[in-house]
Amino acid sequence: MQNAVSVPSRRLSIWLSFFGFMLVGISSGVSGPILPSLGAYYHVGDATIGLLLLVSPFAYFLSSLSSGLLIEKFGLRWLLLLGTVIFALGFAGFGLRLPFLWLFGARLCIGLGSGIIETGFNIYISTQPRQETLLNNLHAFFGVGSLLGPLLVSALLTLLWGWNITYLFLVVLCLPLALGLGPLFSVPANIQDTQRDEPARKEGIFGATLKLPVVWIATLFLLVYVGVETCAGSWGYTFLLNERAQSPLIAGWIVSGYWLGLTLGRFFLQRQAERMGISSTVLVYICLICIVLSALLAWLVPSGISAALAFCLMGLGVAPLYPLTVAIMPKLVPSHLAASAISLLISISIIGLGVFPWLAGLLAQAVGIWTLMPFIILLTLAMIILWRVLARHIASPA
């Protein structure tokens, strides 16, 4: 039971989770700025380098999808430790500057490791008291890592230490995470009980999870959310250059404001909502409306100042949606299916990283980049409909 874990041990485990998410964020943040150095060292073009970027999402999908089953077999602590070791091996491949073809294996390890770490810590934090606030903080630390990653790369390159030193530094950062998962990490009793009880069940966990309609509704919601977040972050720069005639420097700062708004929103919005007595269900509605209004502002008001305000507000709007969706899953499904439901939720949502930005790019090429904001509005309206269905299940869980 939850109170069987001492408060200091639980706090250390939570902070270890935050550190793990920040490490995954740093990994994500360094990948873009380091690509030019990678291409120059191996004498390959952007198209070839781009193939490397396709490997990690595929590996992330596989590891996230299977995490629920692996937790059942090996336990949460050992799965997270395995993910951390695989993660570090991927960094080591780049740090040691292995032959280029070997880097595909290294990227595979990075994707597998990050998928296990993110899914595992999401499952862990979802079992804690006040999980809505903690999950927002957890994902905020990913944002902190994403902001620190480019700074780390630029600092090391400025010192002329070589691009591979960044990855060796990440290997070193994996060590305290791996060591901490031994003596410091406390697995809640409800997860341990699930691991002991489930082998005796007649029906497979994954099969039972797939039969729950509420899981698929939440998965669709998160899938579309990932599309909204990624479209705004990836195509926003082009929108600002071509539609709002901003300089590259200003456009870059405005997009950074979007990511900063997302990070700060995850730290503060849920906490402020609790103080004001606003439920998580209502907070999601407020955030979805905020996304629609900010997209309308960026679309209809041809001003650089309004665009900057719109992107900051959009970042705040999208901030709590992912962690709150993860947080509600244990309330919507039987306890023994919670880990499997979360792993399914996270794994399928990664598809949104590729599908929706691709569709946005097709629209931009065929009609114009101005279609970005109407496209985001359309996706957000779909999210409002899906959340309305989820809200009914939250009000009257099965």
Side-chain angles (χ1 to χ4, degrees), residues 10-329:
R10 185 167 63 85
R11 287 177 178 171
L12 284 172
S13 300
I14 290 171
W15 278 105
L16 192 67
S17 304
F18 293 165
F19 177 74
F21 252 65
M22 186 174 68
L23 182 57
V24 175
I26 292 174
S27 169
S28 176
V30 304
S31 60
I34 217 164
L35 289 181
S37 299
L38 202 62
Y41 180 82
Y42 286 101
H43 305 289
V44 294
D46 291 342
T48 305
I49 288 290
L51 293 175
L52 279 175
L53 301 180
L54 294 176
V55 176
S56 287
F58 174 72
Y60 184 104
F61 170 79
L62 291 178
S63 61
S64 297
L65 187 63
S66 59
S67 288
L69 295 173
L70 292 173
I71 288 172
E72 177 194 355
K73 291 183 178 298
F74 303 112
L76 181 59
R77 184 199 310 274
W78 288 107
L79 179 63
L80 283 168
L81 184 59
L82 175 65
T84 303
V85 172
I86 294 173
F87 205 37
L89 287 175
F91 295 144
F94 281 87
L96 296 174
R97 294 186 290 196
L98 297 178
F100 185 75
L101 288 178
W102 287 55
L103 296 186
F104 286 92
R107 287 292 297 186
L108 184 71
C109 288
I110 291 173
L112 290 172
S114 61
I116 292 173
I117 291 170
E118 286 199 42
T119 306
F121 283 131
N122 267 303
I123 291 170
Y124 171 74
I125 295 295
S126 70
T127 66
Q128 301 301 310
R130 298 182 69 242
Q131 69 265 41
E132 291 91 350
T133 298
L134 287 176
L135 279 165
N136 271 281
N137 290 340
L138 182 72
H139 287 265
F141 273 95
F142 178 92
V144 171
S146 298
L147 292 171
L148 291 176
L151 297 177
L152 174 64
V153 173
S154 59
L156 292 177
L157 291 179
T158 301
L159 293 172
L160 302 178
W161 283 10
W163 61 269
N164 63 309
I165 301 300
T166 300
Y167 287 101
L168 294 177
F169 184 73
L170 288 172
V171 173
V172 173
L173 289 181
C174 286
L175 293 177
L177 180 61
L179 294 173
L181 286 168
L184 299 181
F185 192 68
S186 56
V187 180
N190 52 353
I191 293 181
Q192 293 170 336
D193 292 341
T194 297
Q195 293 161 10
R196 287 194 293 267
D197 295 343
E198 284 317 303
R201 293 184 179 268
K202 300 293 184 183
E203 185 179 32
I205 292 179
F206 191 66
T209 304
L210 293 176
K211 294 178 181 178
L212 295 176
V214 68
V215 173
W216 287 107
I217 296 168
T219 298
L220 284 174
F221 178 85
L222 204 60
L223 175 72
V224 179
Y225 158 79
V226 170
V228 171
E229 178 194 312
T230 310
C231 284
S234 59
W235 287 107
Y237 184 82
T238 306
F239 173 84
L240 292 165
L241 288 180
N242 296 345
E243 289 297 314
R244 293 296 171 259
Q246 299 300 304
S247 68
L249 178 62
I250 297 300
W253 277 102
I254 292 175
V255 174
S256 295
Y258 166 78
W259 292 112
L260 181 62
L262 185 148
T263 301
L264 294 177
R266 285 177 173 170
F267 274 124
F268 299 115
L269 281 182
Q270 176 63 31
R271 186 177 288 109
Q272 190 62 34
E274 289 178 356
R275 290 174 181 169
M276 298 174 64
I278 299 173
S279 68
S280 297
T281 302
V282 174
L283 177 60
V284 169
Y285 279 124
I286 293 172
C287 289
L288 291 172
I289 292 170
C290 179
I291 295 172
V292 172
L293 293 177
S294 59
L296 285 170
L297 178 62
W299 178 24
L300 300 177
V301 181
S303 162
I305 295 176
S306 64
L309 177 62
F311 272 83
C312 287
L313 290 175
M314 193 177 297
L316 287 172
V318 301
L321 300 182
Y322 193 114
L324 287 180
T325 308
V326 174
I328 66 170
M329 289 312 297

